[in-house]
Amino acid sequence: MPAFRAPRGTRDLLPDERAVFDRLMRLAADLTQRYGYLPIETPLFELTAVFERGIGEVTDVVEKELFRLAPRTEEAESWALRPEPTAGIARAYVQHGMQTWPQPVKLTTTGPMFRYDRPQAGRYRQFWQFDVEAIGDAGPAIDAEIVELGHRFYAEAGVEGVEVLVNSIGDPACRPPYMATLTEYYRGHAAQLPPTERDRLERNVLRLLDSKDPDMADLNAGAPRITDHLCEACAAHFESVKAHLAAVGVPYRVEPGLVRGLDYYTRTAFEFYVAGREGQQQALGGGGRYDGLIGLLGGRPTPGIGFGLGLDRVALVLAEQGHTQPVDASPLAVVVSADPDDTVSRLRVATELRTARLRVRADLGRRKLGRQLEAAGKDGAHFAVILGDELAEGQVQFRDLQAGTQRTVALDDLARELARAEASHRHG
Ligand code: HAM
């Protein structure tokens, strides 16, 4: 057992997995650019109040899962690591007066989030999200555009069988009366409620609806549905979101129990799952509309909507579905030499080739030429550049390791030769 391990609930992304994340992040960057999102980076920690006010104090994320930083005596402020980026981005929108920019302001970020949760497969204390936020558009068309963007991300990443679940959770006009109806319903069945759910009933009744406790399944199936209690404006908004989704060909299912775990949501709420995995707290991603959030953080009331897609879970599913492969680090060529001690020439020639943007390794050990060539083959290199006596005349041996052929090439032509060989190798 090593003396030190990565902290519980965190993990090291070793090269193969890190390469998958790289690919996902490149895809996220490419897609968001296509859809007109601008990149933003906010701090990994914020004043705790940003999360308490934005996400809500009676949510698991703030109440139980916030990574609070120990206050330092010289600072009177209390900070926490970000459990999600939306509150921080909304804070930045207000702070930088983005309401004066052309609306909506469409922002995207990808990075690590922190939640002090009980670790299990697919649930970590540090995890990565690809996030988009469109602030300043009340929808409903943009709601569908964002769901479609999320759906496309999974498709282009190669994840199979992603389902889109949508719901409307109403607004400050229709949600309170619905919550009263819901509270009444659960109170009527108080004896059947597990203790934790009974406690939540009085504090945040919506949470009961997405309870993963199997004892709640029957009770929840019979609960009054928010979609039957929407005010006229919310109902019309929801109908229009669905019509826009249909127009862009995104298949979806209305899930009346989908209420999301953060308090800032209004109206549209959605989640992405791999078919058959719903209900295991294994959402691949989720999001929704938050028309009250900017106001809560001190800005002029401004509507917004966005999503966060969990990259760790996407990577897991890609691996399960057999869509990952080991990262290819093989060089195009390895520079070796007949003189085991002449590491200077090898390093110099390799450096020149790298200046010409070629993927080259120098064999920097002091071993015999045969062993150097053997290692080059094991590396998966296509070519070896062999330095020998003719280096003094500006010439090297250029060996095609796969074809087993070799010829003399002038050092001055080497980069051009290699680049040409790489191109024909790639296209051939
Ligand atoms: P969320 O549903 O809390 O929403 O998180 C979004 C996604 O992050 C989840 O669907 C999941 O894939 C991933 N995730 C969450 N917690 C963990 C964890 N402990 N381990 C691994 N993955 C996790 C939000 O965070 C909102 N900010 C989304 C949003 C953006 N809404 C509007 N704009």
Side-chain angles (χ1 to χ4, degrees), residues 6 9 19 33 46 48 72 88 131 140 174 291 315 331 343-344 380 399 411:
Q33 198 184 26
E46 295 272 353
T48 309
R72 301 178 65 109
D131 177 272
C174 52
D291 294 346
T343 49
V344 168
R399 180 182 293 196
L411 200 51

Side-chain angles (χ1 to χ4, degrees), residues 334-337 342 344-356 358 360 384-398 407-419:
V334 177
V335 183
V336 300
S337 56
D342 188 10
V344 168
S345 299
R346 275 174 255 160
L347 185 57
R348 182 170 54 79
V349 171
T351 303
E352 282 166 17
L353 295 173
R354 288 164 183 157
T355 304
L358 292 161
V360 168
V385 174
I386 307 171
L387 313 183
D389 292 341
E390 72 267 37
L391 188 60
E393 284 97 57
Q395 290 185 326
V396 301
Q397 290 299 314
F398 184 57
R407 61 197 162 92
T408 307
V409 168
L411 200 51
D412 287 346
D413 296 334
L414 185 59
R416 218 171 315 130
E417 285 282 343
L418 259 175

Side-chain angles (χ1 to χ4, degrees), residues 83-86 115 117 122-124 127 129 131-133 260 262 264-265 271 283-288 290 305-310 312-313:
E84 56 97 55
T86 312
R115 295 185 192 179
D117 203 350
R123 197 189 312 147
Y124 308 106
F127 59 97
Q129 272 189 13
D131 177 272
V132 306
E133 310 292 350
R260 307 280 298 133
L262 315 166
Y264 50 60
Y265 289 112
E271 277 174 352
L284 278 189
Y290 46 83
I305 181 163
F307 65 54
L309 312 187
D312 305 76
R313 293 184 186 174

Side-chain angles (χ1 to χ4, degrees), residues 188-252:
H189 297 83
Q192 288 161 259
L193 287 178
T196 49
E197 306 298 342
R198 209 171 303 154
D199 176 47
R200 280 171 159 172
L201 170 58
E202 303 305 330
R203 301 184 319 134
N204 196 340
V205 65
L206 284 180
R207 296 266 63 77
L208 271 62
L209 280 179
D210 68 356
S211 166
K212 302 295 183 265
D213 192 321
D215 293 343
M216 291 291 289
D218 287 345
L219 211 51
N220 282 350
R225 300 175 156 216
I226 178 112
T227 37
D228 297 331
H229 292 78
L230 295 176
C231 60
E232 225 170 279
C234 285
H237 186 101
F238 193 37
E239 284 311 310
S240 183
V241 171
K242 290 187 280 182
H244 283 84
L245 281 176
V248 289
V250 174
Y252 63 87

Side-chain angles (χ1 to χ4, degrees), residues 90-414:
R91 189 265 312 139
Y93 178 94
V94 176
Q95 178 179 339
H96 301 286
M98 292 188 206
Q99 72 278 359
T100 64
W101 298 12
Q103 305 291 301
V105 177
K106 294 161 79 175
L107 301 168
T108 181
T109 199
T110 299
M113 310 296 154
F114 306 86
R115 295 185 192 179
Y116 189 78
D117 203 350
R118 197 165 47 79
Q120 53 179 256
R123 197 189 312 147
Y124 308 106
R125 288 180 173 173
Q126 175 175 335
F127 59 97
W128 287 62
Q129 272 189 13
F130 157 38
D131 177 272
V132 306
E133 310 292 350
I135 307 177
D137 185 331
I142 199 162
D143 304 34
E145 184 182 57
I146 281 197
V147 173
E148 192 274 336
L149 170 56
H151 188 250
R152 184 186 296 274
F153 175 79
Y154 297 116
E156 294 198 8
V159 185
E160 293 164 26
V162 172
E163 288 194 332
V164 181
L165 272 47
V166 296
N167 195 22
S168 173
I169 54 170
D171 68 3
C174 52
R175 199 168 347 150
Y178 168 70
M179 284 168 70
T181 309
L182 197 61
T183 305
E184 215 174 292
Y185 169 79
Y186 284 118
R187 279 195 191 135
H189 297 83
Q192 288 161 259
L193 287 178
T196 49
E197 306 298 342
R198 209 171 303 154
D199 176 47
R200 280 171 159 172
L201 170 58
E202 303 305 330
R203 301 184 319 134
N204 196 340
V205 65
L206 284 180
R207 296 266 63 77
L208 271 62
L209 280 179
D210 68 356
S211 166
K212 302 295 183 265
D213 192 321
D215 293 343
M216 291 291 289
D218 287 345
L219 211 51
N220 282 350
R225 300 175 156 216
I226 178 112
T227 37
D228 297 331
H229 292 78
L230 295 176
C231 60
E232 225 170 279
C234 285
H237 186 101
F238 193 37
E239 284 311 310
S240 183
V241 171
K242 290 187 280 182
H244 283 84
L245 281 176
V248 289
V250 174
Y252 63 87
R253 198 170 82 224
V254 175
E255 175 49 65
L258 194 168
V259 288
R260 307 280 298 133
L262 315 166
D263 275 357
Y264 50 60
Y265 289 112
T266 49
R267 296 190 166 174
T268 312
F270 56 91
E271 277 174 352
F272 300 99
Y273 283 88
V274 169
R277 286 198 173 191
E278 301 90 339
Q280 295 168 30
Q281 289 195 334
Q282 289 290 19
L284 278 189
R289 179 160 281 291
Y290 46 83
D291 294 346
L293 178 59
I294 300 289
L296 279 175
L297 295 176
R300 213 172 49 205
T302 308
I305 181 163
F307 65 54
L309 312 187
L311 296 189
D312 305 76
R313 293 184 186 174
V314 173
L316 267 176
V317 172
L318 284 173
E320 280 171 20
Q321 295 182 343
H323 296 315
T324 50
Q325 52 208 24
V327 57
D328 178 17
S330 59
L332 174 66
V334 177
V335 183
V336 300
S337 56
D339 177 358
D341 291 326
D342 188 10
T343 49
V344 168
S345 299
R346 275 174 255 160
L347 185 57
R348 182 170 54 79
V349 171
T351 303
E352 282 166 17
L353 295 173
R354 288 164 183 157
T355 304
R357 311 192 69 82
L358 292 161
R359 205 159 27 92
V360 168
R361 180 171 76 77
D363 194 311
L364 296 178
R366 290 169 190 271
R367 47 190 173 180
K368 293 208 173 97
L369 178 59
R371 304 294 296 278
Q372 295 179 45
L373 285 169
E374 215 175 280
K378 279 200 189 129
D379 253 13
H382 201 112
F383 302 98
V385 174
I386 307 171
L387 313 183
D389 292 341
E390 72 267 37
L391 188 60
E393 284 97 57
Q395 290 185 326
V396 301
Q397 290 299 314
F398 184 57
R399 180 182 293 196
D400 185 325
L401 292 167
Q402 290 172 11
T405 55
Q406 182 169 322
R407 61 197 162 92
T408 307
V409 168
L411 200 51
D412 287 346
D413 296 334
L414 185 59

